[in-house]
Amino acid sequence: VGSISISGVSKHFVNPTGERITALDNVSLDIPAGSFVSLIGPSGCGKSTLLRLISGLIPMDDGSLMLDGTPIKAPGADRGFMFQEHTLFPWLSIYDNIAFGLRARGIYKQEKDHVDEFIEMVGLKGFEHSYPHQLSGGMCQRASLARALVGKPKVLLLDEPLGALDAFTRMNMQDEILRIWKETGMTAIMVTHDVDEAVYLSDKVVVMTPRPGRITGTLDIKLARP
Ligand code: ADP
Ligand code: ADP
């Protein structure tokens, strides 16, 4: 589960000066269940827009967007989202921030087991009672990842998840994301500016160009990854 079918999708915006921008122009892409797809391309080519459409955070203008054969209309528990800047609540502990992801989805049963499982998975054991400002940027991103994962989504959506981290932390977290992706079997879709990162993590690299936003190529990768 977790296959996504994008067919003839277009999205327009009107910017404050009244200019109409075609953020996505007739974009089609099939993402098999369990794959890891990276979206790369220059700023403004529509990467984030495509990810937000899949998340259901914004509506498309044209085309069809399906998750396991069902049209995507709104955000749902089957998709977890992680952004470049962590979106943890400063007034909640790491435990409560991660539990929030469950409570927001109306899942209360065995909350502690679920939260503990994902705190362990991202390597934050012992930091349950810490607050975001007490942790490094990398640790906050780990907590954001745990929050995105705790509802056991079919699809993990990553918008430049490691873009704000130093090179060393970024490499460690790349391997961590790879391990978690394999362990859970979920589909992952990541926007990144880093071509090395895209090639290192994904099965498929999708290249986009701006004005209008289009897919101009895909690269399939079969690597013996660690
Ligand atoms: P990328 O993630 O590849 O940098 P985006 O998807 O953020 O590109 O943006 C694609 C185009 O759509 C850009 O020209 C951007 O300025 C425009 N755009 C994105 N979101 C909005 C918005 N909410 N309002 C107006 N224009 C937008
Ligand atoms: P080794 O020391 O075994 O030769 P490398 O020097 O290639 O391995 O990589 C060391 C670590 O750097 C890896 O465990 C991985 O975390 C990270 N790494 C290697 N290649 C890449 C890459 N293309 N992109 C991001 N991180 C990488």
Side-chain angles (χ1 to χ4, degrees):
V1 294
S3 72
I4 290 175
S5 169
I6 300 163
S7 177
V9 166
S10 296
K11 177 72 186 176
H12 307 280
F13 293 105
V14 178
N15 73 13
T17 61
E19 186 197 358
R20 190 174 133 107
I21 294 160
T22 303
L24 293 173
D25 180 39
N26 195 22
V27 166
S28 298
L29 179 68
D30 273 312
I31 300 177
S35 58
F36 198 131
V37 170
S38 288
L39 307 176
I40 63 169
S43 183
C45 68
K47 305 182 293 294
S48 296
T49 300
L50 187 55
L51 209 64
R52 277 185 221 137
L53 287 177
I54 297 169
S55 74
L57 287 169
I58 58 171
M60 63 190 168
D61 295 327
D62 239 316
S64 134
L65 199 53
M66 314 270 253
L67 171 53
D68 290 330
T70 305
I72 292 172
K73 289 184 178 140
D78 48 14
R79 282 150 289 151
F81 211 124
M82 180 179 170
F83 302 92
Q84 178 170 357
E85 305 298 334
H86 77 75
T87 51
L88 303 173
F89 297 117
W91 59 87
L92 293 181
S93 68
I94 294 304
Y95 180 95
D96 284 332
N97 262 291
I98 296 169
F100 184 89
L102 278 181
R103 295 170 192 160
R105 292 171 162 82
I107 304 167
Y108 301 97
K109 253 177 86 180
Q110 295 169 318
E111 173 190 287
K112 188 155 186 326
D113 291 346
H114 283 296
V115 175
D116 287 347
E117 177 187 341
F118 286 95
I119 282 182
E120 172 108 46
M121 189 183 277
V122 301
L124 282 179
K125 212 164 182 302
F127 294 93
E128 293 86 342
H129 304 298
S130 301
Y131 285 80
H133 70 269
Q134 296 172 307
L135 301 185
S136 68
M139 289 161 102
C140 286
Q141 282 306 67
R142 285 169 196 276
S144 300
L145 181 59
R147 190 169 68 181
L149 293 170
V150 73
K152 305 201 174 176
K154 299 181 199 170
V155 183
L156 179 63
L157 302 167
L158 306 158
D159 195 347
E160 292 209 47
L162 311 180
L165 303 177
D166 64 85
F168 182 75
T169 308
R170 190 160 64 229
M171 278 197 191
N172 281 334
M173 280 203 70
Q174 284 169 351
D175 285 336
E176 206 116 318
I177 288 175
L178 209 47
R179 176 179 59 77
I180 291 169
W181 167 69
K182 282 182 186 160
E183 218 170 287
T184 58
M186 68 194 162
T187 309
I189 309 173
M190 175 176 72
V191 167
T192 181
H193 272 118
D194 181 347
V195 176
D196 282 347
E197 180 168 282
V199 171
Y200 184 59
L201 292 178
S202 356
D203 309 303
K204 189 194 282 284
V205 178
V206 173
V207 183
M208 300 177 67
T209 50
R211 284 178 292 276
R214 285 186 179 148
I215 292 176
T216 48
T218 60
L219 171 66
D220 287 302
I221 303 170
K222 292 261 181 293
L223 279 182
R225 287 177 293 206

